[in-house]
């Protein structure tokens, strides 16, 4: 298979030819690191096997797209042909453009010792090509992922240090850069302990689209800012699968229920995860909201659910019509959403993107701009 032509096209589509990331993208055989993957087909996860359809394999592997490799506890490598999986994605090969974007935020310099997260090993391969594998440590909580990625990286001539490691706990060394393509909340204190003075960490806050970049100072804390662009990654997990969503029982009770309060909204119906700035601001104000939606022709419904029993259901018959909103529980979740949208309309932007951040040695993250401030711990 002429994978090199596909890889060079991916590199050209992702970065400029003079970029230091062009050669890593153009010379890394992503297809060998992702031989099988899951595709979402109407809510079902369908197994794809590259060997059985080489042309589709090349198209998928060398597109700037994320390839889901694990759904629940079932990895595509271990699934029987024809398997249909159910559940949440638990591992993937992140789209190459986003991997490079995270590395650019890290401002990786020649000679930097870097810790990255493993997954399929593709992101690890890129930074190995850029720096040399002796400077790269790659960790994952899943022993099978680490073993498989190590073997596949060896097969393409790359030999970074790999380790089975819960990234929220102690890390296996000291680093100039820590780049996490899983999201965290809070920032693990171990990262500050393992980051060398002047070193930089780059991560995302779980439940948001916020990229945090922060440089370690002499007092053991770190200062930086929220990037102006966004990213979304899977949360850290501590077992084979994520636990059941804590709002599943609430969903069954309220999905068609009348609310304790019923109002007409002034704003068109918005599904917050589609608007990263609004979604991120709301997650900082009320962590842990679970969103669900349904579309039937022009009729649209969006639910907001929280483990404390709060819920909201907004229904609209058109894209420009204000929805009817039912709410219940101890908090008015739609009201929280409207406060964020009111601020956006009033000020023209939300304060979170570009906001300065400070992380204390225990991992407490404070984001602030002007009179607005929020602590993430």
């Amino acid at each position: 298979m002429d994978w090199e032509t596909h890889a060079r096209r991916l590199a050209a589509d992702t970065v400029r030819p003079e970029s230091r990331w062009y050669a890593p993208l153009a010379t890394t055989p992503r297809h060998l690191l992702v031989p099988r993957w899951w595709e979402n087909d109407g809510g079902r996860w369908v197994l794809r096997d590259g060997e059985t359809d080489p042309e589709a394999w090349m198209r998928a592997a060398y597109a700037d797209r994320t390839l889901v490799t694990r759904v629940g506890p079932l990895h595509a490598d271990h699934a029987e042909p024809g398997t249909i999986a159910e559940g949440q994605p638990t591992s993937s090969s992140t789209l190459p453009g986003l991997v490079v974007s995270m590395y650019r935020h890290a401002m990786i310099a020649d000679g930097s010792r870097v810790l990255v997260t493993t997954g399929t090993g593709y992101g690890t391969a890129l930074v190995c090509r850029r720096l040399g594998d002796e400077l790269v440590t790659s960790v994952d909580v899943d022993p099978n992922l680490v073993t498989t990625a190590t073997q596949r990286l060896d097969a393409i001539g790359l030999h970074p240090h790999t380790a089975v490691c819960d990234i929220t706990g102690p890390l296996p060394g000291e680093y100039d850069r820590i780049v996490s393509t899983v999201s965290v909340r809070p920032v693990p204190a171990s990262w500050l302990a393992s980051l060398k003075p002047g070193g930089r960490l780059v991560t995302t806050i779980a439940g948001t689209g916020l990229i945090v970049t922060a440089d370690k100072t002499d007092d053991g804390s770190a200062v930086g800012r929220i990037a102006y662009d966004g990213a979304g990654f899977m949360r850290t997990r501590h077992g084979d699968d994520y636990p059941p969503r804590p709002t599943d029982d609430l969903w069954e009770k309220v999905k068609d229920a009348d609310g304790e309060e019923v109002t007409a909204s002034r704003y068109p119906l918005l599904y917050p995860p589609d608007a990263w700035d609004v979604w991120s601001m709301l997650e900082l104000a009320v962590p842990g909201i679970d969103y669900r939606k349904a579309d039937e022709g022009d009729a649209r419904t969006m639910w907001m659910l929280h483990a404390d029993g709060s819920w909201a259901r907004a229904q609209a018959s058109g894209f420009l019509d204000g929805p009817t909103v039912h709410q219940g529980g101890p908090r008015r979740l739609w009201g929280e959403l409207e406060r964020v949208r009111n601020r956006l309309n009033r000020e023209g932007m939300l304060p979170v993107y570009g906001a300065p951040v400070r992380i204390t040695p225990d991992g407490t993250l404070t984001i602030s701009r002007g009179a607005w401030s929020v602590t993430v711990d």
Side-chain angles (χ1 to χ4, degrees):
M1 288 182 291
D2 180 22
W3 66 266
E4 291 96 339
T5 296
H6 294 278
R8 287 194 294 270
R9 177 185 48 76
L10 171 63
D13 290 345
T14 306
V15 298
R16 290 182 57 84
E18 64 268 24
S19 167
R20 290 177 294 183
W21 294 104
Y22 183 92
L25 287 163
T27 60
T28 299
R30 190 185 186 204
H31 70 290
L32 296 181
L33 298 168
V34 194
R36 301 175 108 204
W37 67 100
W38 298 103
E39 283 192 0
N40 193 317
D41 182 10
R44 306 181 312 156
W45 293 100
V46 178
L47 181 65
R48 303 299 186 201
D49 185 342
E51 293 284 356
T52 64
D53 191 344
E55 290 186 9
W57 192 12
M58 293 299 103
R59 287 196 302 271
Y62 297 100
D64 193 21
R65 56 177 280 207
T66 292
L67 299 177
V68 172
T69 52
R70 198 170 183 271
V71 174
L74 183 58
H75 198 286
D77 288 350
H78 308 140
E80 294 294 330
T83 298
I84 303 296
E86 295 182 356
Q88 299 180 68
T90 50
S91 191
S92 68
S93 177
T94 300
L95 65 151
L98 181 53
V99 174
V100 170
S101 178
M102 294 292 282
Y103 290 163
R104 282 175 161 168
H105 282 300
M107 295 185 176
I108 296 171
D110 293 344
S112 294
R113 291 197 171 274
V114 180
L115 180 129
V116 298
T117 42
T118 304
T120 64
Y122 179 66
T124 303
L126 294 181
V127 75
C128 285
R129 298 277 197 214
R130 163 73 179 82
L131 290 176
D133 48 18
E134 70 280 0
L135 294 174
V136 179
T137 297
S138 182
V139 301
D140 201 290
V141 72
D142 188 323
N144 291 324
L145 292 182
V146 173
T147 297
T148 300
T150 300
Q151 293 170 346
R152 289 173 178 166
L153 289 166
D154 285 345
I156 62 174
L158 299 175
H159 312 288
H161 175 64
T162 58
V164 178
C165 174
D166 182 340
I167 200 169
T168 64
L171 301 180
E174 291 188 332
Y175 309 98
D176 301 296
R177 303 290 187 271
I178 295 173
V179 185
S180 175
T181 51
V182 294
S183 64
V184 296
R185 182 170 184 156
V187 173
S190 60
W191 294 12
L192 277 296
S194 291
L195 199 62
K196 295 179 182 178
R200 171 169 288 202
L201 66 85
V202 181
T203 190
T204 50
I205 300 173
T208 76
L210 303 179
I211 300 173
V212 176
T213 66
D215 301 324
K216 188 172 180 180
T217 59
D218 290 339
D219 66 0
S221 59
V223 295
R225 67 182 54 254
I226 302 295
Y228 278 98
D229 55 331
F233 292 104
M234 298 174 193
R235 296 172 181 261
T236 54
R237 57 181 171 85
H238 307 286
D240 287 340
D241 197 357
Y242 296 111
R245 291 193 285 190
T247 58
D248 284 346
D249 289 343
L250 178 63
W251 158 252
E252 292 299 329
K253 292 178 182 177
V254 307
K255 61 182 177 181
D256 296 314
D258 291 332
E260 299 164 9
E261 179 180 303
V262 182
T263 58
S265 175
R266 59 180 290 203
Y267 294 116
L269 181 60
L270 171 73
Y271 183 64
D274 290 340
W276 282 19
D277 52 353
V278 173
W279 171 51
S280 298
M281 280 286 290
L282 187 54
E283 176 65 20
L284 294 176
V286 187
I289 298 175
D290 180 24
Y291 302 94
R292 309 191 190 200
K293 64 178 179 177
D295 297 328
E296 296 182 10
D298 290 338
R300 298 183 300 140
T301 306
M302 189 273 286
W303 291 264
M304 305 170 69
L305 307 158
H306 197 278
D308 69 3
S310 302
W311 63 276
R313 183 180 74 255
Q315 296 174 291
S317 58
F319 283 91
L320 298 179
D321 295 334
T324 298
V325 181
H326 291 252
Q327 299 189 82
R331 284 189 280 195
R332 296 295 179 253
L333 298 182
W334 187 267
E336 297 284 353
L337 172 59
E338 289 208 330
R339 271 189 278 279
V340 174
R341 297 179 78 177
N342 286 341
R343 181 166 193 164
L344 178 59
N345 282 353
R346 183 175 65 249
E347 300 178 9
M349 63 176 292
L350 293 171
V352 64
Y353 282 102
V357 302
R358 182 176 182 83
I359 309 171
T360 60
D362 67 357
T364 300
L365 168 67
T366 301
I367 310 170
S368 60
R369 169 170 277 166
W372 174 80
S373 178
V374 65
T375 298
V376 180
D377 53 15

